[in-house]
Amino acid sequence: MSATWLPPEEYAETLMKATAFACLFFTDEDDRPVQLRAVYSLAHPWQWPGGTMDPGERPWETAVRECREETGMVLEGPTRLLAAVYGLPGAEWPYSTVGFVFDGGRLTAERIAGIALDPAEHDMVRVLSLEEWRAHMPERDFARLRAVMEARRTGATAYFDAWDWDD
């Protein structure tokens, strides 16, 4: 079997296509997850500040920009990757999805109260214990939350590859 050389632009057309997102995971001072309720997603109502990467943007830059846009909070770092997330394409979305979940740290009650939501994206901030979140989230979303909490606790980055579009 001989390989055929293709110019880079032609070879690129044969590769899998993917979109990428980045987000920040926060807890309160008692390590209870802080999440935002999305106004645009009944399937995944509780989310972390974040979104799709813009062209030329690095994952950390995306997470910080999206957090500022969605909550009014400005973060500078340090960067700590908690999880890599992967999903296969499906009927709802034709591309694979690659995501980066960064540790946003622990927020004081005052900082949580000061969150200024973008009403076009989110309408509520909630702080619940991990087990309390189970009743409010689809099982796959809760499994991802649990994996991120475990990564935060242990210091070992999580790999969550069950974020497929057809589930």
Side-chain angles (χ1 to χ4, degrees):
M1 176 183 199
S2 69
T4 304
W5 184 87
L6 293 173
E9 61 278 359
E10 286 182 42
Y11 178 66
E13 289 302 314
T14 70
L15 300 176
M16 175 184 79
K17 306 297 186 270
T19 56
F21 71 89
C23 58
L24 286 162
F25 173 74
F26 295 99
T27 61
D28 69 357
E29 292 179 303
D30 295 319
D31 286 329
R32 297 179 302 170
V34 177
Q35 298 196 90
L36 314 177
R37 186 170 66 187
V39 298
Y40 54 82
S41 179
L42 294 175
H44 306 285
W46 294 99
Q47 304 177 357
W48 306 314
T52 304
M53 292 172 59
D54 287 342
E57 200 170 43
R58 296 181 188 277
W60 175 251
E61 293 170 331
T62 298
V64 169
R65 174 184 54 78
E66 288 280 349
C67 183
R68 180 179 27 80
E69 291 172 0
E70 295 176 4
T71 68
M73 292 190 299
V74 177
L75 260 69
E76 295 178 5
T79 61
R80 178 175 171 219
L81 183 66
L82 291 176
V85 178
Y86 180 78
L88 292 170
E92 189 179 340
W93 185 248
Y95 302 115
S96 291
T97 303
V98 177
F100 305 88
V101 181
F102 292 99
D103 193 344
R106 290 174 176 81
L107 302 176
T108 64
E110 294 77 26
R111 191 126 189 231
I112 293 168
I115 290 174
L117 295 176
D118 175 354
E121 297 207 40
H122 302 98
D123 65 359
M124 183 188 298
V125 177
R126 273 187 107 168
V127 180
L128 298 172
S129 71
L130 181 62
E131 281 309 313
E132 288 172 318
W133 275 116
R134 184 186 295 272
H136 300 278
M137 303 173 74
E139 183 52 40
R140 181 176 58 151
D141 293 12
F142 182 74
R144 183 180 68 158
L145 173 61
R146 193 174 48 236
V148 169
M149 285 289 293
E150 182 69 5
R152 161 81 85 73
R153 187 185 68 74
T154 65
T157 303
Y159 173 64
F160 191 80
D161 68 353
W163 201 246
D164 300 347
W165 281 94
D166 280 341
D167 288 344

